[in-house]
């Protein structure tokens, strides 16, 4: 989701609802460290005193237990020439590579669905590709169409359709005249908008070196904002999930704003619901009607849904049909069984889908917590140990999380007969943790459960069960005193080391001191100019990484892998990773490690550097936590006194180890990345090209800010479309080699 361009999407990305003070009480936290983590942490703590460089010993001595994976085609130096920054309305890829558009908004997913006319008159979106392609995972198929871990020529792609390009309520590119920009919204327009959200599964195949998607495949699937789904895990049956649709709180409808993805060790697709709060409406009297005793008033505000705020699309206004009324989450009837006051509580989860079997209902895994979910990164499972997954909450000042399953890994579950049954086993019982980053380069995972007295006795919100923690996770992390981060986006596990990398895309709310003051893990505050527009805070974002002796540990070491920056920015304060024109970037968002090569692929969703370049994809050869040095930054507080912040920076980024590989068309973000198992074909998504187009220009294609992919020869019409592309090396080699 693009942030800097002021569209309605931005207004409704309410990533700004964490007003918790979370005072610096590291001394209190230290006394709460378990004996085990104190012992484990002591070696790291000693190393930290010597500066960040000493941290390497931590990883080096424990590498065998860190869940490293084997790679089929490891790459240790980047074999392509960097692509320059680009403002062209085309995909520009490194020399020696080619791209092909594969699957775009509106493309048919059944044999009988008419071709997409792309003029706003198309219907049947439940049978077409959704909009705003985002996270994506590869599910190989053999020649018989059965699951295959080794196939490189046939597969299913499971894709998130996060949102839609909109202005003044309307998803204007899918309506003939741009649609209605005032309330009430026409029912026919809302039906289309409900259907372009959700997930899709699409079969693809390579024939004679050309990839194509198969519109007639029986394995294709759509999940929309209206599809029946199951609620599972600790919050299933909770009074806070009771709706008129599901009075026993076991079912819900749809998935929304699906951003990052993941692939489970048992072979299913997981997808994070991100900015779902903006789709709901409750009138200005709703707090009063609910009364002070309803603790959900506090929760609704903490989750960015203030009484009286307008909804993103006005879906609640489209008529008396239940499919529209459900978007009004006010307490309007006598009880929760009779209205949709709890409907918003049925969003904000990780959803799990069996990409191979469209008969199986999608499951919302409440055990992984409720927040603005991005990706889910699974540590390599170890037989006899719990399954561990890492997640971020993409909002300003929100937290990083990890989930540790109650069940321990059984190798037979790598190919289970019932894939979602394995999901039930590993994701429905377990413990959530939120990350606390300390100033010495260490950190602690704080338990979010009723066993944590800070949560159980939190004065600002009454938790009565682990179901409450699963639904109101942000408040539990507030109570536990987690560290407020610069918008955690995607995570990835380095297959060489088992370390977690997570993008912190930017944070316009970060200040030197005060409410969201600088800390060691979020240490930059600066001014960036885009033409005459001045932005302050952490404008360009950074990528943090964590190393643990074992994924189940509560103690970790951390450093900053990469500080994003413009190349010509001050190297002592802003361009701390020594970026050059070959690898400078802003707003890292997608982050995926190639299982084949071990390269770290970084994707941007930027609005700050877009005067110089469209969004991009870069490749990095990662190092490990502690391969750089400590660095102290000096700032002036509001009272004029000096504030010094010491952080830990990974080794500086020469173009040998970080290079720009691809730049997208105008107004897009680059997102979603998966590969064939041999690393020879890479699939990425181009999301919302032309997003900056004015709705009033819908009849004038010359004024669209992008006409991609039509201008690349794909499809009818000139309206821009989100799409999946495939990248291959012209000589047939491994991507990045
Ligand atoms: Fe959908 Fe946080 O990007
Ligand atoms: Ca700038
Ligand atoms: Ca994202």
């Amino acid at each position: 989701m693009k942030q800097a361009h002021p569209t309605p999407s931005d207004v409704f990305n309410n990533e700004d609802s964490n007003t918790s003070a979370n005072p610096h009480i590291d001394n209190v936290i230290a006394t709460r460290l378990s004996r085990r983590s104190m012992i484990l942490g002591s070696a790291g703590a000693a190393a930290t005193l010597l500066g960040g460089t000493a941290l390497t010993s931590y990883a080096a001595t424990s590498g065998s237990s860190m869940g490293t994976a084997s790679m089929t085609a490891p790459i240790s130096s980047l074999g392509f020439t960097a692509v320059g920054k680009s403002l062209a309305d085309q995909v520009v890829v490194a020399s020696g590579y080619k791209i092909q558009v594969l699957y775009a908004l509106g493309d048919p997913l059944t044999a009988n669905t008419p071709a997409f006319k792309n003029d706003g008159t198309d219907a049947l979106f439940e049978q077409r590709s959704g909009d705003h392609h985002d996270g994506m995972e590869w599910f190989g198929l053999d020649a018989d169409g059965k699951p295959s871990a080794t196939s490189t020529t046939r597969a299913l792609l499971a894709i998130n359709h996060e949102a839609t390009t909109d202005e003044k309520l309307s998803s204007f590119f899918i309506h003939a005249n741009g649609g209605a920009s005032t309330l009430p919204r026409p029912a026919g327009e809302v039906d289309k908008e409900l259907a372009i959200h959700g997930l899709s599964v699409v079969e693809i195949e390579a024939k004679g070196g050309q990839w194509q998607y198969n519109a007639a495949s029986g394995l294709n699937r759509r999940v929309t904002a209206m599809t029946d789904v199951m609620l599972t895990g600790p919050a299933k049956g909770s009074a806070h999930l009771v709706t008129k649709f599901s009075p026993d709180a076991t079912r819900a409808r749809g998935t929304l704003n699906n951003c990052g993805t993941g692939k489970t060790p048992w072979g299913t697709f997981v997808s994070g619901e991100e900015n779902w709060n903006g789709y709901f409406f409750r009138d200005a009297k709703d707090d009063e009607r609910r009364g002070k005793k309803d603790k959900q008033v506090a929760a609704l505000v903490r989750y960015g849904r203030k009484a009286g705020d307008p909804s993103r699309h006005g879906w609640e206004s489209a008529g008396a049909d239940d499919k529209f009324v459900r978007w009004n989450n006010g307490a309007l009837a006598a009880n929760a069984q009779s209205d949709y006051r709890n409907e918003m509580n049925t969003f904000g989860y990780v959803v799990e889908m069996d990409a191979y079997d469209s008969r199986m209902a999608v499951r919302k895994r409440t055990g992984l917590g409720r927040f603005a979910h991005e990706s889910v990164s699974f540590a390599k499972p170890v037989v006899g140990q719990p399954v561990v997954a890492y997640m971020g909450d993409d909002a300003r000042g929100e937290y990083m999380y990890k989930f540790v399953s109650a069940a321990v890994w059984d190798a037979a579950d790598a190919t289970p007969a019932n894939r979602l049954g394995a999901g039930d086993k590993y994701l429905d019982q377990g413990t959530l943790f939120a990350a606390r980053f300390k100033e010495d380069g260490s950190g602690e995972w704080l338990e979010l459960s009723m066993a944590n007295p800070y949560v159980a006795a939190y004065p600002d919100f009454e938790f009565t069960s682990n179901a409450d923690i699963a639904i109101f996770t942000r408040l539990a992390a507030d109570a536990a005193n987690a560290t407020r981060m610069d918008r955690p986006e995607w995570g990835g596990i380095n297959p060489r080391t088992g370390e977690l990398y997570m993008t912190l895309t930017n944070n316009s709310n970060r200040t030197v001191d005060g409410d969201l003051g600088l800390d060691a893990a979020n240490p930059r505050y600066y001014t960036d100019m885009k033409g005459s527009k001045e932005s302050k805070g952490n404008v360009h974002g950074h990528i943090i990484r964590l190393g643990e002796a074992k994924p189940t540990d509560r103690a970790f070491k951390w450093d900053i892998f990469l500080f994003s920056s413009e190349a010509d920015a001050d190297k002592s304060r802003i361009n701390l990773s020594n970026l050059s024109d070959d690898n400078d970037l802003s707003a890292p968002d997608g982050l995926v490690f190639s299982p084949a090569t071990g390269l770290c692929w970084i994707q941007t969703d930027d609005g700050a550097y877009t005067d110089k370049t469209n969004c991009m994809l870069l490749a990095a050869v990662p190092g490990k936590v502690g391969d750089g040095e400590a660095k102290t930054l000096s700032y002036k507080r509001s009272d004029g006194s000096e504030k010094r912040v010491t952080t830990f920076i990974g080794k500086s980024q020469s173009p040998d180890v970080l290079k720009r590989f691809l730049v997208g068309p105008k107004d897009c973000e680059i997102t979603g990345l998966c590969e064939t198992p041999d690393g020879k074909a890479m699939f990425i998504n181009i999301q919302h090209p032309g997003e900056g187009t004015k709705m009033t220009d819908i009849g004038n294609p010359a004024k669209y800010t992008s006409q991609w992919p039509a201008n690349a020869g794909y499809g009818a019409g000139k309206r821009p479309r989100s799409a999946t592309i495939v990248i291959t090396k012209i000589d047939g080699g491994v991507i990045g080699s």
Side-chain angles (χ1 to χ4, degrees):
M1 181 68 60
K2 206 172 179 82
Q3 302 305 335
H5 187 86
T7 67
S9 316
D10 297 335
V11 177
F12 295 113
N13 280 350
N14 201 327
E15 353 128 321
D16 200 12
S17 43
N18 188 355
T19 54
S20 66
N22 281 20
H24 293 280
I25 54 166
D26 282 6
N27 51 341
V28 177
I29 296 283
T31 64
R32 295 165 49 208
L33 276 169
S34 70
R35 181 159 178 77
R36 192 177 65 132
S37 62
M38 284 296 277
I39 292 164
L40 270 173
S42 58
T48 312
L49 295 175
L50 306 172
T53 47
L55 296 177
T56 46
S57 60
Y58 182 82
T61 55
S62 54
S64 61
S65 61
M66 290 186 69
T68 52
S70 58
M71 294 173 278
T72 53
I75 293 177
S76 296
S77 73
L78 300 171
F80 60 91
T81 303
V83 168
K85 293 185 275 278
S86 167
L87 291 169
D89 189 30
Q90 287 294 345
V91 176
V92 181
V93 68
S95 173
Y97 290 83
K98 62 179 179 181
I99 72 126
Q100 184 196 335
V101 182
L102 193 59
Y103 171 66
L105 163 68
D107 279 343
L109 287 172
T110 78
N112 328 326
T113 309
F116 193 58
K117 298 197 292 288
N118 195 24
D119 60 2
T121 64
D122 298 281
L124 301 171
F125 278 92
E126 296 83 357
Q127 302 169 20
R128 300 181 181 279
S129 166
D131 203 355
H132 280 208
H133 300 43
D134 205 336
M136 172 168 62
E137 303 290 338
W138 163 278
F139 294 89
L141 292 172
D142 66 15
D144 298 325
K146 296 283 182 289
S148 164
T150 54
S151 169
T152 57
T153 55
R154 186 179 177 193
L156 300 170
L157 294 178
I159 302 175
N160 284 345
H161 296 288
E162 182 181 28
T164 182
T165 301
D166 55 359
E167 186 185 336
K168 296 176 188 158
L169 303 170
S170 180
S171 167
F172 58 95
F173 282 127
I174 62 159
H175 304 311
N177 61 0
S181 57
T182 53
L183 299 177
R185 295 293 315 285
E189 290 182 9
V190 173
D191 282 337
K192 283 209 252 183
E193 292 173 12
L194 289 167
I196 58 174
H197 287 73
L199 315 172
S200 70
V201 177
V202 58
E203 185 179 336
I204 58 166
E205 190 168 13
K207 283 184 178 158
Q210 280 289 105
W211 286 87
Q212 58 195 41
Y213 94 91
N214 178 1
S217 171
L219 297 170
N220 294 344
R221 180 181 193 180
R222 273 306 312 282
V223 173
T224 75
M226 288 302 299
T227 306
D228 274 23
V229 302
M230 294 165 63
L231 297 169
T232 74
K236 175 184 175 183
S238 163
H240 300 302
L241 299 183
V242 166
T243 62
K244 188 177 174 186
F245 174 73
S246 181
D248 65 355
T250 58
R251 293 162 58 226
R253 273 175 294 183
T255 186
L256 268 182
N257 220 266
N258 302 77
C259 191
T261 53
K263 199 168 172 179
T264 65
W266 48 95
T268 61
F269 175 79
V270 282
S271 164
E273 297 181 323
E274 189 193 8
N275 291 308
W276 36 271
N277 60 315
Y279 292 77
F280 293 89
F281 172 77
R282 58 195 191 101
D283 67 58
K285 295 268 191 226
D286 193 49
D287 286 354
E288 194 181 314
R289 206 181 295 118
R290 287 175 184 256
K292 286 202 167 61
K293 278 194 180 153
D294 186 343
K295 67 182 182 186
Q296 290 210 52
V297 171
L300 284 160
V301 172
R302 183 65 182 82
Y303 279 91
R305 195 73 322 226
K306 293 196 189 81
D309 280 358
S311 66
R312 179 168 175 170
H313 297 291
W315 289 343
E316 76 285 350
S317 72
D321 192 302
D322 197 64
K323 67 185 173 184
F324 307 130
V325 170
R326 62 182 285 226
W327 303 103
N328 186 329
N329 71 318
L332 298 171
N335 53 48
Q337 286 80 11
S338 311
D339 64 21
Y340 287 102
R341 69 186 65 185
N342 289 329
E343 186 77 350
M344 197 176 90
N345 293 344
T346 68
F347 289 88
Y349 300 104
V350 168
V351 299
E352 183 180 14
M353 174 173 72
D354 186 345
Y356 289 117
D357 190 345
S358 62
R359 299 165 303 180
M360 300 295 285
V362 164
R363 300 181 192 194
K364 296 205 176 190
R365 300 295 185 188
T366 66
L368 276 62
R370 178 166 165 267
F371 42 88
H373 274 283
E374 292 274 343
S375 66
V376 188
S377 307
F378 287 88
K380 188 187 177 195
V382 178
V383 172
Q385 294 289 313
V387 168
V388 176
Y390 303 87
M391 301 166 286
D393 181 355
D394 179 13
R396 283 174 270 176
E398 294 295 348
Y399 309 121
M400 289 169 57
Y401 293 88
K402 96 170 165 183
F403 173 82
V404 178
S405 70
V408 298
W409 180 244
D410 176 349
D413 286 329
T415 52
N418 175 355
R419 283 175 290 269
L420 287 172
D424 294 342
K425 174 179 171 183
Y426 294 109
L427 298 181
D428 284 346
Q429 293 96 38
T431 307
L432 261 183
F433 298 85
R436 177 82 194 163
F437 291 82
K438 300 184 189 180
E439 293 176 4
D440 64 0
S442 69
E444 185 192 3
W445 289 106
L446 309 169
E447 181 167 334
L448 306 182
S449 78
M450 295 304 288
N452 181 337
Y454 287 82
V455 176
Y458 187 42
D460 294 348
F461 190 84
E462 185 192 6
F463 289 99
T464 59
S465 64
N466 286 337
D468 283 1
I469 292 166
I471 300 169
F472 307 114
T473 311
R474 281 180 174 171
L475 287 147
D478 293 346
N481 199 41
T483 300
R484 300 178 65 193
M485 309 299 289
D486 286 344
R487 293 185 54 202
E489 286 260 5
W490 292 47
I493 305 288
N494 181 350
R496 286 183 166 95
T497 62
E499 292 174 349
L500 170 74
Y501 287 56
M502 190 168 277
T503 56
L504 301 168
T505 192
N506 58 49
N507 192 345
S508 57
N509 280 6
R510 186 65 65 181
T511 52
V512 173
D513 51 1
D515 179 47
L516 199 55
L518 297 169
D519 60 46
N522 302 276
R524 281 192 310 172
Y525 172 88
Y526 48 96
T527 301
D528 174 72
M529 299 304 296
K530 181 182 176 185
S532 60
K533 184 174 176 281
E534 185 182 80
S535 299
K536 289 180 184 297
N538 181 11
V539 183
H540 303 301
H542 55 287
I543 300 176
I544 200 164
R545 63 184 166 186
L546 276 63
E548 298 158 321
K550 293 197 305 297
T552 49
D553 283 351
R554 297 200 181 194
F556 60 84
K557 311 299 302 176
W558 64 268
D559 72 2
I560 308 294
F561 169 59
L562 168 64
F563 284 102
S564 306
S565 173
E566 300 179 4
D568 60 5
D570 183 342
K571 287 188 177 172
S572 70
R573 298 184 305 115
I574 304 169
N575 187 7
L576 296 169
S577 293
N578 196 31
L579 303 185
S580 64
D581 279 327
D582 286 339
N583 58 18
D584 61 340
L585 73 152
S586 177
D589 183 328
L591 185 148
V592 178
F593 278 92
S594 162
T597 64
L599 293 180
C600 178
W601 294 93
I602 300 163
Q603 304 174 309
T604 69
D605 176 12
D606 180 47
Y609 205 14
T610 44
D611 52 338
K612 302 285 169 52
T613 184
N614 301 337
C615 287
M616 63 184 72
L617 170 66
L618 305 96
V621 178
K624 56 188 173 188
V625 173
D627 64 12
E629 60 189 14
K631 166 93 180 172
T632 299
L633 301 168
S634 174
Y635 295 95
K636 199 176 272 189
R637 287 196 182 88
S638 38
D639 68 3
S641 64
E642 186 189 26
K643 173 166 178 164
R644 291 164 72 86
V645 181
T646 298
T647 189
F648 303 94
I649 310 179
K651 73 175 178 215
S652 75
Q653 299 288 346
S654 73
D656 296 341
V657 291
L658 176 69
K659 256 182 222 183
R660 191 178 302 107
F661 179 69
L662 174 148
V663 182
K666 289 269 190 197
D667 277 354
C668 78
E669 78 174 80
I670 307 293
T671 184
L673 187 149
C674 57
E675 287 180 337
T676 51
D678 59 6
K680 292 183 176 177
M682 173 186 283
F683 304 85
I684 65 167
N685 285 321
I686 307 294
Q687 189 188 91
H688 62 65
E691 181 190 52
T693 301
K694 292 271 126 218
M695 184 176 174
T696 46
D697 289 331
I698 191 70
N700 186 355
K703 290 201 167 175
Y704 299 169
T705 61
S706 171
Q707 294 186 2
W708 189 90
N711 67 4
Y714 189 87
K718 292 189 171 174
R719 298 181 181 206
R721 299 159 73 186
S722 296
T724 303
I725 66 171
V726 54
I727 304 159
T728 48
K729 206 171 180 185
I730 291 165
D731 69 6
V734 172
I735 309 283
S737 64

